[in-house]
Amino acid sequence: MRRLIAAICFAIAAFASPVLAEDGYDLWLRYHPVEAAYAAQYKPHATAIIGGDTPILASAKSELKRGLDGLLAQDTPIVSQPVDGAIVLQTGDTNLPEDGFRIGAKTLDGHPVTVISARTDQGALYGAFRLLREIQTRAALTDISDAPKIKLRVIDHWDNLNGSVERGYAGTSIFDWWRLPDLVDPRLTDYARAEASIGVNGVVLNNVNAKADSLTAPYLQKTEAIAKVFRPWGIKVYLSARWTAPIELGGLKTADPLDPAVQAWWNAKADEIYALIPDFGGFLVKANSEGEPGPGDYGRNHAQGANMLAAALKPHGGIVMWRAFVYSEHDANDRAKQAYNEFKPVEGQFADNVLLQIKNGAIDFQPREPFHPLFGAMPKTNEMLEVQITKEYLGQGTHLVYQGPLYEETLKADTYAEGKGSTVAKIIDGALDHHALTGMAGVSNVGDDRNWTGHDFSQADWYAFGRLAWDPDASSRDIATDWVKMTFSDDPAFVKPVVDMMMASRETAANYMTPLGLAHQMATGHHYGPGPWVCDLARPEWNPCYYAKADAKGIGFDRTKTGSDALAQYAPAAAKQWADPKRMDERYLLWFHHLPWDYKVKSGRTLWNELVTDYDIGAKQAAQMQQTWAAMKPYVDPERFAAVSANLSIQAREAKWWRDASIAYFQSKSGLPLPTGIAPPEHDLDYYKSLQFPYAPGH
Ligand code: BDP
């Protein structure tokens, strides 16, 4: 009997536990019941749902029902006539900006209701998600009005047609190209819901290193099947276009953008696409970069290339996102200068439906880079920002590195292009130069892993991307706070330490991988783990040694006048902040300066001692995250708790590996002793050099 009672008590306790097993599939849209007292406040304002029947409004209503039913533990009816306390979706409010919304109390036919008013259906959908977020984060009931500051909020999938994902660390592609269009994975609807919930309104389906096959009739049918799933969630599909498609598919002899036959081929291709997908978004293009073909192969410049595609899309309302990520093995210039050198001369020549898509920094998604010098340098061009959500250079699938602060750092960076306050955010939201066509893109970290992103905390990068693309002035801490509450728990004893850990994590990673402004010290190809010693690759700028330039005397890349003078590509007031090593933010020190090992940094240490100390701090901070998380056990379901714990132990181990391998290598150059109190690397340099990872993912 006693046993039975104990078993019953155990069963009740387990059932009542707020921490039932979860697998992360629901992301930040879990809609678990809120506390009774909070629910009681809300229930009178959420008695029913009313709204029109267009596909997008139907999505909004179904999401509201799903959310309210879960959060308030009720069965919310969808009704057609106003009743007291209904939530009403109203569209056509021409006073509101496109896709904006207002949420507030009103009286309708004598009934007190909450109205989500919007100009467009999409605005109403965003309002619905916003209302749910308010409840999820336990916000007080108040009037809200909001609108996206950026027009195109786009996720770029680097997904290949064979199902693999370039730089993907969360399984294989969610797009099953082989079985589409017949089999459409229901998961794609949940994917679209997640994107819509953070305001994303465009998805590029295939890798920028594109195959022409995506543009063939069978593959366009497959794309159309995906578009059908995305449309009710306000999401347009885009494709990466392969420059030489007219040759590969059309049998033409050339892909010269000035050739009438080439133009005719693209015009016909655009007509074919729009006949099938009338709201097709347009093309993303990687041209003349890392071996991809482009207009440069025919002696034409980027504007001539982009404009040819833009002309084909224009009659249908489509746009071109032309990537600025270019560098060439034939160019002996500092790689950080090459994109600016290629694009600045064609300023003013791009068609109005072209956006130049510029990575946050001039090299490649490093743990820290100064903002790209092209921001603000081309005021007549529509400039959009590209960030990487997937963590190619930030610990890939296993490190907890919240990128919100990285994105925020770029967005808040002042280019001084038109005086103080010319932030990257103001450039990409169009405010500075009055552009209407604006955009921000993020390279996806989503795969077919059950929790979408591999690491549970990598969901936060996806979430933060969406929120910052909606409002580039938002705070990454506020975003992390919302995400933590929605994804795990709103208990302050959980939220505070976890948000603090997230906010510090990017600095931690920069410390154990690339402190003091070092960059690109990762191993070759897969970019997994350290490889600072690599110096024998065909192209100079593929080698980590190119970036650190460490020798017996010192370390760092001189980008001042005495070196590559990349500094001169920035507006003088921006350049000034990095010109003097004595007066700059030392987190960028070695990005801009080559300095002797005995150079004194602000802490009073020598550069050598500081470098070693930073690696050491980074490794310790990574280990510390394990303790922070261990204390969070009572607040998290066992499945996610264990998964995050496992990843944190991998991270602590790999942070130490980064520390040890880097110190061993740089000590082989400096020949200097370690500062007192700093433990020597566990192994010798040859050991670290010998490690091989042929099966590292994402490559
Ligand atoms: C680099 C990646 C490479 C991409 C390239 C790009 O290593 O896989 O193709 O960027 O952005 O970060 O095109």
Side-chain angles (χ1 to χ4, degrees):
M1 187 62 182
R2 256 228 222 118
R3 270 232 197 113
L4 184 66
I5 291 171
I8 290 170
C9 288
F10 179 76
I12 291 171
F15 186 68
S17 160
V19 289
L20 294 175
E22 286 189 60
D23 57 17
Y25 182 84
D26 292 336
L27 296 161
W28 47 88
L29 303 173
R30 288 155 65 245
Y31 303 142
H32 283 204
V34 296
E35 311 69 46
Y38 186 82
Q41 276 178 48
Y42 242 101
K43 279 176 186 262
H45 307 282
T47 59
I49 300 159
I50 310 181
D53 287 319
T54 63
I56 293 180
L57 289 177
S59 300
K61 285 190 293 184
S62 77
E63 191 70 24
L64 272 177
K65 175 161 176 56
R66 180 183 194 135
L68 295 173
D69 285 2
L71 290 163
L72 304 180
Q74 64 181 24
D75 182 10
T76 324
I78 295 179
V79 299
S80 51
Q81 297 303 321
V83 292
D84 285 5
I87 293 173
V88 185
L89 294 162
Q90 272 180 354
T91 53
D93 185 341
T94 49
N95 293 319
L96 292 177
E98 198 185 337
D99 297 350
F101 58 82
R102 196 180 294 144
I103 306 176
K106 265 194 191 158
T107 306
L108 203 64
D109 297 346
H111 297 279
V113 296
T114 300
V115 175
I116 301 177
S117 52
R119 183 188 195 113
T120 59
D121 287 2
Q122 227 162 304
L125 175 66
Y126 297 140
F129 275 115
R130 178 57 179 274
L131 185 68
L132 294 172
R133 190 221 292 176
E134 295 291 298
I135 306 176
Q136 287 172 285
T137 55
R138 318 301 196 266
L141 206 77
T142 77
D143 289 2
I144 300 170
S145 115
D146 200 2
K149 290 187 187 154
I150 292 178
K151 194 176 164 82
L152 307 177
R153 303 172 299 277
V154 182
I155 291 283
D156 293 353
H157 280 264
W158 285 0
D159 296 21
N160 298 311
L161 300 182
N162 66 4
S164 64
V165 180
E166 180 150 343
R167 311 307 177 185
Y169 311 103
T172 57
S173 176
I174 54 168
F175 305 122
D176 186 350
W177 293 108
W178 190 248
R179 289 188 282 187
L180 281 162
D182 303 273
L183 190 71
V184 182
D185 189 341
R187 184 168 187 162
L188 293 185
T189 301
D190 285 329
Y191 174 75
R193 285 177 52 233
E195 295 292 16
S197 76
I198 51 174
V200 166
N201 62 2
V203 174
V204 182
L205 303 177
N206 60 321
N207 194 349
V208 283
N209 299 316
K211 296 272 186 245
D213 308 63
S214 290
L215 297 170
T216 60
Y219 275 88
L220 290 175
Q221 296 284 349
K222 296 168 192 275
T223 291
E224 194 262 338
I226 298 172
K228 226 187 250 164
V229 179
F230 287 3
R231 195 170 290 127
W233 297 93
I235 296 167
K236 288 184 179 181
V237 298
Y238 295 76
L239 290 173
S240 294
R242 176 145 173 99
W243 186 258
T244 42
I247 300 173
E248 292 171 47
L249 305 180
L252 301 189
K253 293 258 169 326
T254 173
D256 180 351
L258 300 192
D259 185 304
V262 173
Q263 296 168 354
W265 189 88
W266 282 109
N267 290 344
K269 187 49 76 180
D271 293 346
E272 180 190 349
I273 296 174
Y274 281 92
L276 206 58
I277 310 166
D279 56 354
F280 180 71
F283 294 136
L284 171 65
V285 186
K286 172 176 180 177
N288 295 119
S289 167
E290 301 189 322
E292 296 300 307
D297 304 340
Y298 307 91
R300 313 298 181 193
N301 65 38
H302 289 284
Q304 289 171 313
N307 292 350
M308 187 262 298
L309 293 177
L313 297 167
K314 179 102 181 178
H316 309 283
I319 58 106
V320 174
M321 296 173 282
W322 192 267
R323 297 180 85 227
F325 179 69
V326 298
Y327 63 96
S328 156
E329 73 264 45
H330 307 301
D331 190 339
N333 268 304
D334 174 3
R335 174 173 163 189
K337 291 175 67 177
Q338 296 185 19
Y340 180 102
N341 289 346
E342 272 192 53
F343 283 95
K344 176 81 177 163
V346 293
E347 157 69 334
Q349 295 177 27
F350 286 99
D352 61 3
N353 60 330
V354 175
L355 296 108
L356 189 59
Q357 182 167 313
I358 307 165
K359 288 188 182 181
N360 56 290
I363 299 292
D364 194 11
F365 302 134
Q366 295 305 297
R368 169 165 278 110
E369 295 189 43
F371 69 85
H372 200 300
L374 275 173
F375 287 115
M378 299 177 67
K380 295 191 201 123
T381 302
N382 301 315
E383 292 192 328
M384 69 186 282
L385 168 65
E386 174 180 333
V387 296
Q388 202 177 42
I389 305 173
T390 191
K391 290 201 271 268
E392 175 180 0
Y393 298 100
L394 279 159
Q396 306 194 343
T398 48
H399 294 205
L400 192 166
V401 182
Y402 170 51
Q403 293 187 86
L406 188 160
Y407 305 155
E408 186 179 352
E409 189 171 285
T410 301
L411 289 163
K412 299 227 161 108
D414 199 340
T415 68
Y416 290 93
E418 290 166 36
K420 195 168 165 48
S422 308
T423 60
V424 173
K426 282 217 182 89
I427 290 163
I428 65 159
D429 75 10
L432 195 67
D433 300 304
H434 314 291
H435 289 293
L437 184 58
T438 57
M440 178 160 159
V443 179
S444 173
N445 63 350
V446 163
D448 71 350
D449 274 8
R450 181 67 191 160
N451 70 356
W452 305 90
T453 57
H455 198 308
D456 288 293
F457 273 80
S458 295
Q459 295 176 357
D461 300 317
W462 179 12
Y463 182 80
F465 165 79
R467 291 281 300 271
L468 287 166
W470 177 280
D471 178 7
D473 300 309
S475 125
S476 61
R477 178 177 282 275
D478 292 350
I479 294 170
T481 305
D482 284 350
W483 179 80
V484 166
K485 288 182 180 176
M486 295 160 83
T487 306
F488 287 105
S489 157
D490 80 312
D491 192 321
F494 179 81
V495 176
K496 171 85 172 66
V498 172
V499 169
D500 286 348
M501 171 173 79
M502 289 170 72
M503 291 304 292
S505 61
R506 182 281 189 115
E507 223 56 62
T508 295
N511 275 333
Y512 64 70
M513 290 182 187
T514 51
L516 293 171
L518 284 178
H520 221 303
Q521 297 302 294
M522 295 73 191
T524 305
H526 48 59
H527 297 155
Y528 168 70
W533 46 81
V534 176
C535 214
D536 59 356
L537 303 177
R539 289 169 62 156
E541 73 287 334
W542 280 352
N543 292 293
C545 71
Y546 169 90
Y547 297 94
K549 303 210 185 304
D551 60 20
K553 292 199 197 111
I555 183 170
F557 200 123
D558 183 1
R559 293 194 165 103
T560 68
K561 273 203 209 67
T562 51
S564 79
D565 206 15
L567 260 183
Q569 293 183 334
Y570 290 95
K576 207 172 132 211
Q577 67 184 310
W578 298 309
D580 179 357
K582 285 281 170 222
R583 297 176 54 191
M584 67 185 290
D585 179 345
E586 288 177 343
R587 294 175 308 171
Y588 297 94
L589 191 65
L590 303 177
W591 183 279
F592 288 109
H593 300 279
H594 184 85
L595 297 165
W597 291 114
D598 62 0
Y599 171 83
K600 280 263 166 28
V601 299
K602 286 181 189 163
S603 67
R605 295 191 190 97
T606 64
L607 176 57
W608 165 249
N609 282 359
E610 184 81 354
L611 184 77
V612 172
T613 304
D614 281 359
Y615 279 118
D616 192 60
I617 290 173
K620 285 188 176 130
Q621 286 167 331
Q624 178 58 40
M625 287 203 267
Q626 291 177 284
Q627 266 109 64
T628 306
W629 185 248
M632 296 300 112
K633 190 166 185 189
Y635 309 99
V636 190
D637 53 281
E639 196 170 337
R640 289 187 298 168
F641 178 78
V644 171
S645 303
N647 278 325
L648 285 172
S649 70
I650 296 175
Q651 181 173 9
R653 192 172 69 228
E654 294 187 350
K656 181 162 185 313
W657 167 36
W658 264 99
R659 170 209 185 273
D660 286 356
S662 307
I663 292 177
Y665 169 70
F666 289 119
Q667 193 170 31
S668 79
K669 294 288 166 189
S670 78
L672 293 167
L674 297 181
T676 34
I678 301 277
E682 200 171 328
H683 303 278
D684 65 10
L685 182 56
D686 286 341
Y687 167 82
Y688 296 110
K689 284 182 168 176
S690 74
L691 300 176
Q692 299 292 323
F693 303 95
Y695 307 115
H699 184 44

